[in-house]
Amino acid sequence: MRNCFLWLGVMTLIVSSFGCGGETEDVNPVTGKITYDGKPLAGARIRLEATAGGASRVYSCDSQADGSFTIEAAYSTETKQGAPVGTYKILVGKFEKDESATEESDPDADEAAELAEVENQQEGDDVVDDAVKSQINEKFNNSSTTPLTVEVKAGENNITIDLKADGTGTVK
């Protein structure tokens, strides 16, 4: 009986070491440029969504004025630059607040609300907010309609995302 408890204790330790070990997750730098109809796309939210289920961690960033971006992974104790090796759908959203919405906004709260809404989104659902208007084709912001994918490999990953108003795009 004593050996059963010892064995159970050892197995519990082994299984718990696999738990939420995202803090030790190996990530690879993912940088690049994004354009929309040939022009740099500033202020776009770029998210990588794993195509093979698993963790729901969001690897994301906002593009700069020149369209450059660096994907980040936020953990409870730190933020790392990049994403783990794997295949990802690329989701891109760029929204303009409706001028008729007069509420004061908190950028951190807005981002947290957007991420929560995306995480709760069912496949095929569109993210809809009456006070927000999309500035690019909405097809890019939906995991079931985005035509964009990327393979993150070990080491440096530099990609170019070229979006078109008609909902087509390429990743190189």
Side-chain angles (χ1 to χ4, degrees):
M1 186 69 140
R2 185 177 199 188
N3 286 338
C4 286
F5 286 118
L6 180 60
W7 178 248
L8 181 62
V10 169
M11 290 307 294
T12 302
L13 278 173
I14 290 171
V15 169
S16 68
S17 70
F18 294 123
C20 299
E23 303 295 327
T24 60
E25 186 173 53
D26 289 328
V27 296
N28 302 280
V30 180
T31 59
K33 294 251 182 183
I34 185 167
T35 61
Y36 191 72
D37 285 337
K39 297 177 184 164
L41 184 60
R45 186 72 171 159
I46 303 166
R47 300 182 314 277
L48 302 184
E49 179 183 285
T51 59
S56 63
R57 179 162 312 286
V58 175
Y59 304 99
S60 63
C61 65
D62 291 326
S63 61
Q64 302 301 311
D66 65 353
S68 64
F69 63 87
T70 301
I71 296 292
E72 296 180 338
Y75 299 93
S76 62
T77 59
E78 68 182 322
T79 298
K80 295 183 178 183
Q81 305 282 317
V85 169
T87 303
Y88 297 88
K89 290 181 182 182
I90 300 174
L91 303 174
V92 181
K94 180 168 170 75
F95 301 97
E96 178 182 307
K97 290 284 184 187
D98 184 357
E99 296 301 323
S100 64
T102 58
E103 295 179 32
E104 291 295 318
S105 76
D106 174 5
D108 292 333
D110 291 346
E111 181 176 345
E114 177 187 344
L115 289 175
E117 189 170 338
V118 169
E119 288 175 3
N120 292 328
Q121 172 184 1
Q122 299 295 318
E123 189 157 331
D125 288 351
D126 288 324
V127 176
V128 177
D129 183 343
D130 293 336
V132 178
K133 184 171 89 176
S134 181
Q135 293 183 322
I136 64 172
N137 191 308
E138 293 178 10
K139 185 176 188 178
F140 299 118
N141 198 38
N142 187 309
S143 63
S144 64
T145 59
T146 184
L148 310 171
T149 60
V150 66
E151 180 75 26
V152 173
K153 298 180 180 174
E156 298 281 329
N157 294 270
N158 192 316
I159 60 177
T160 300
I161 304 171
D162 183 32
L163 308 178
K164 304 287 184 202
D166 66 2
T168 62
T170 59
V171 180
K172 296 178 188 173

